[in-house]
Amino acid sequence: MSLELVSQTKSFGGWHKQYNHASSALGVSMRFAIFLPPQAQSGEKVPVLYWLSGLTCTDENFMQKAGAQRIAAELGIAIVAPDTSPRGDNVANDEGYDLGQGAGFYVNATEAPWRDHYRMYDYVVDELPKLIEATFPVSQKRAIAGHSMGGHGALMISLRNPDRYCSASAFSPISNPSDCPWGRKAFSAYLGGDESTWSQYDTTELLRNSQSKVPLRVDQGLADTFLTEQLQPEKLLGAAAESDCSLQLEQHEGYDHSYFFIASFIEDQLKFHHQYLVTE
Amino acid sequence: MSLELVSQTKSFGGWHKQYNHASSALGVSMRFAIFLPPQAQSGEKVPVLYWLSGLTCTDENFMQKAGAQRIAAELGIAIVAPDTSPRGDNVANDEGYDLGQGAGFYVNATEAPWRDHYRMYDYVVDELPKLIEATFPVSQKRAIAGHSMGGHGALMISLRNPDRYCSASAFSPISNPSDCPWGRKAFSAYLGGDESTWSQYDTTELLRNSQSKVPLRVDQGLADTFLTEQLQPEKLLGAAAESDCSLQLEQHEGYDHSYFFIASFIEDQLKFHHQYLVTE
């Protein structure tokens, strides 16, 4: 589990760093970014927010555009941003922006050719936290959040692993991937034509009848061009009503799917997580 | 002076918009971005900060990475970010990242082939503010700021036009372009081999003996890899000591030349400008 430092930049009194490492879950070299707040330099073990990005993104989009470091530095939270898929010349790919490299959907693929490397679920749930917690001055208090495809990933992963996360949130998540074009394309390829295998990775299906106590928050812009066809946050409300889960849906007039929306409300989401991360 | 709207995105209760327009100063179509804070929607005429970006940048880098909209929305300041040069297939260019398109240096070129379009000084000082003030709900209170090449541009323009700006600031400016590799390459090309013509565009030369009352602030990271060879902020201190100018130089241990540095201190710079922009 050796790490190669790619870059390090001081930011808001803490450090933004990028690393490469050989991932055993994915069978390729992966890059991730970590923001270590100032509190981590004084020996304090800080909690970690894992951020899962959306289609086409790398570890860089959130770290460069969300403005999250300012608040993370204030609250004493580390942020870890993995890439959105395995990458490389030997990794299966597709011409579309919504399948293959940059579009791993945080599942373990079972179908050829994807199953050789596309195991982002195992990477995000197991391998990456193990590496982070063995390497950096962080506690085992974890939160998980993301945007769009990564918003789906964050909610889905928290529902399947309620003991591992204190809280979960999403901006503009793909709420019901089994029933929208982005999700159906990806799940057909990665998981195959038998749709009964899809529900294990579908946030809306998981939420129905879930007994997870992980508090969930979703922020959705009402001028998001993907709202009706791809995102469908009303599905989450319906499913949460059938479950024991706590889901807070915040809808924002006029905001779209971009990082300007995320930047406008990331402070609210980080403060949402902070209240659960600091609880013993 | 007709404007074509390219994009509009809600951000921190205000609006980020991009426009194309035919520039008469440059003889090409130019894109700029404007952030209009919430106060501008209620009919209030807000002051404007002009932001000049560095080498290779467009109107997008600052708007996406600096996190400035949050504070501008709070303080009620509009921000205008022009491109860093004329662009297009018919515009002279160079293979280097530090000359030609993306590297206009905010001067009026006198030498062929650059003089056909490279008149960024006239564009930023005259044409763009005239367009902004005729189109948007803004006052004639102006501040100017920038990064690296744009930091040089902001300080230089304020020193040459003390009646037009309430305040000026820079992150990591190229302080003395006549005496560093980036500046000498650009000024030789745009202004020719007679170095006596360079001083009119050189901040350090202008600052010496200046009687400008425009307050100046400079933020410089001490881990900036360009510090010694290209930036040389100590030249500004020396020149300011020979002048009537007020120059505040803030040096920051550990910070580099990136937008993570800018994001870390943009709140301080915007609050610096705000105190002068709200004075009658």
Side-chain angles (χ1 to χ4, degrees):
Chain A
M1 299 213 299
S2 74
L3 288 174
E4 175 207 346
L5 183 66
V6 176
S7 78
Q8 56 179 343
T9 308
K10 196 168 178 181
S11 177
F12 289 95
W15 288 89
H16 173 266
K17 302 186 180 199
Q18 293 175 295
Y19 290 93
N20 284 332
H21 73 113
S23 163
S24 56
L26 301 169
V28 297
S29 174
M30 288 291 284
R31 191 176 72 191
F32 68 85
I34 184 168
F35 173 70
L36 289 163
Q39 293 84 345
Q41 291 161 63
S42 50
E44 194 179 320
K45 290 203 166 206
V46 296
V48 182
L49 175 80
Y50 290 85
W51 174 268
L52 307 183
S53 276
L55 292 167
T56 76
C57 290
T58 68
D59 65 289
E60 294 190 327
N61 304 65
F62 179 77
M63 291 297 196
Q64 294 182 356
K65 295 182 174 180
Q69 287 95 328
R70 178 182 63 86
I71 316 142
E74 187 183 308
L75 299 176
I77 300 174
I79 303 175
V80 172
D83 204 343
T84 53
S85 77
R87 294 185 192 266
D89 293 342
N90 299 324
V91 173
N93 204 357
D94 183 86
E95 287 182 0
Y97 72 96
D98 52 1
L99 185 67
Q101 296 186 30
F105 265 83
Y106 308 101
V107 304
N108 291 335
T110 54
E111 303 301 298
W114 311 104
R115 64 189 172 205
D116 291 348
H117 296 289
Y118 285 74
R119 287 184 298 271
M120 286 297 288
Y121 180 86
D122 283 352
Y123 179 68
V124 169
V125 173
D126 294 322
E127 186 180 18
L128 187 59
K130 199 173 289 178
L131 178 64
I132 296 296
E133 288 162 20
T135 310
F136 300 101
V138 300
S139 72
Q140 293 190 324
K141 294 270 187 185
R142 306 177 200 100
I144 190 163
H147 176 229
S148 195
M149 173 183 77
H152 138 263
L155 299 176
M156 176 269 287
I157 283 172
S158 84
L159 288 166
R160 288 182 58 159
N161 302 276
D163 297 339
R164 293 183 61 80
Y165 299 96
C166 301
S167 49
S169 70
F171 287 92
S172 334
I174 301 172
S175 301
N176 189 189
S178 306
D179 193 30
C180 76
W182 277 340
R184 293 189 63 82
K185 179 176 178 180
F187 281 15
S188 300
Y190 297 144
L191 306 174
D194 176 3
E195 297 188 22
S196 69
T197 67
W198 297 6
S199 56
Q200 63 182 312
Y201 291 116
D202 186 302
T203 296
T204 293
E205 296 302 325
L206 290 165
L207 192 53
R208 235 188 287 281
N209 306 311
S210 170
Q211 297 183 339
S212 166
K213 298 294 179 205
V214 179
L216 309 176
R217 176 182 168 130
V218 171
D219 286 84
Q220 176 63 55
L222 295 179
D224 188 321
T225 51
F226 301 113
L227 182 59
T228 312
E229 189 181 19
Q230 306 279 12
L231 306 179
Q232 308 168 321
E234 69 283 359
K235 301 268 191 80
L236 297 178
L237 285 182
E242 300 175 37
S243 77
D244 292 337
C245 298
S246 156
L247 170 71
Q248 175 186 355
L249 173 63
E250 299 288 342
Q251 302 186 84
H252 304 279
E253 196 73 49
Y255 286 88
D256 68 11
H257 202 65
S258 71
Y259 263 94
F260 290 110
F261 169 50
I262 297 173
S264 298
F265 296 99
I266 191 67
E267 178 166 349
D268 294 343
Q269 279 210 4
L270 285 174
K271 287 182 172 171
F272 166 80
H273 290 292
H274 182 249
Q275 64 186 308
Y276 302 107
L277 289 169
V278 296
T279 310
E280 283 312 307
Chain B
M1 296 212 299
S2 74
L3 288 174
E4 174 206 348
L5 183 67
V6 176
S7 78
Q8 56 178 341
T9 307
K10 196 167 179 181
S11 178
F12 288 95
W15 288 89
H16 173 265
K17 302 185 180 200
Q18 292 176 295
Y19 290 93
N20 284 331
H21 73 112
S23 163
S24 56
L26 302 168
V28 296
S29 174
M30 288 291 283
R31 191 175 73 191
F32 69 85
I34 184 168
F35 173 70
L36 289 163
Q39 294 83 345
Q41 290 160 65
S42 50
E44 195 179 319
K45 289 204 166 203
V46 295
V48 182
L49 175 79
Y50 290 84
W51 174 269
L52 307 183
S53 276
L55 292 167
T56 77
C57 290
T58 68
D59 66 289
E60 294 191 328
N61 305 65
F62 179 77
M63 291 297 197
Q64 293 182 357
K65 296 183 174 179
Q69 286 96 329
R70 179 182 63 87
I71 317 141
E74 187 183 307
L75 300 176
I77 300 173
I79 303 174
V80 171
D83 204 343
T84 53
S85 77
R87 294 186 193 265
D89 293 342
N90 299 323
V91 173
N93 203 358
D94 184 85
E95 287 181 1
Y97 71 95
D98 52 1
L99 185 67
Q101 297 186 32
F105 264 82
Y106 307 102
V107 304
N108 291 336
T110 54
E111 302 304 296
W114 312 103
R115 64 188 173 206
D116 291 347
H117 297 289
Y118 285 75
R119 286 184 298 271
M120 286 298 288
Y121 179 86
D122 283 352
Y123 179 69
V124 169
V125 174
D126 294 322
E127 185 180 19
L128 187 60
K130 198 173 289 179
L131 177 64
I132 297 296
E133 290 162 19
T135 309
F136 300 101
V138 299
S139 73
Q140 293 190 325
K141 295 269 187 186
R142 305 176 200 100
I144 190 163
H147 176 229
S148 196
M149 172 183 78
H152 140 261
L155 300 176
M156 175 270 287
I157 284 173
S158 83
L159 289 165
R160 289 183 56 158
N161 301 276
D163 297 339
R164 293 184 61 79
Y165 299 96
C166 300
S167 49
S169 70
F171 287 92
S172 333
I174 301 172
S175 302
N176 189 190
S178 306
D179 193 29
C180 76
W182 277 339
R184 293 189 63 83
K185 179 176 177 179
F187 282 14
S188 299
Y190 297 145
L191 306 174
D194 176 3
E195 297 189 22
S196 70
T197 68
W198 296 6
S199 56
Q200 63 183 314
Y201 291 116
D202 187 303
T203 296
T204 294
E205 297 302 324
L206 290 165
L207 192 53
R208 237 187 286 280
N209 305 311
S210 170
Q211 297 183 339
S212 167
K213 299 293 180 207
V214 178
L216 308 177
R217 174 180 170 131
V218 172
D219 286 84
Q220 177 63 56
L222 295 179
D224 188 323
T225 51
F226 302 113
L227 182 60
T228 311
E229 189 180 18
Q230 306 279 12
L231 306 179
Q232 307 168 322
E234 69 283 359
K235 301 268 191 80
L236 296 179
L237 285 182
E242 299 174 39
S243 76
D244 293 337
C245 298
S246 156
L247 170 71
Q248 174 185 355
L249 173 63
E250 299 288 342
Q251 302 185 83
H252 304 280
E253 196 73 49
Y255 286 89
D256 68 12
H257 202 65
S258 71
Y259 263 94
F260 290 111
F261 169 51
I262 297 173
S264 298
F265 297 99
I266 191 67
E267 178 165 348
D268 294 344
Q269 280 211 4
L270 285 174
K271 287 181 170 170
F272 166 81
H273 289 292
H274 182 249
Q275 64 186 308
Y276 303 106
L277 288 169
V278 295
T279 311
E280 282 311 307

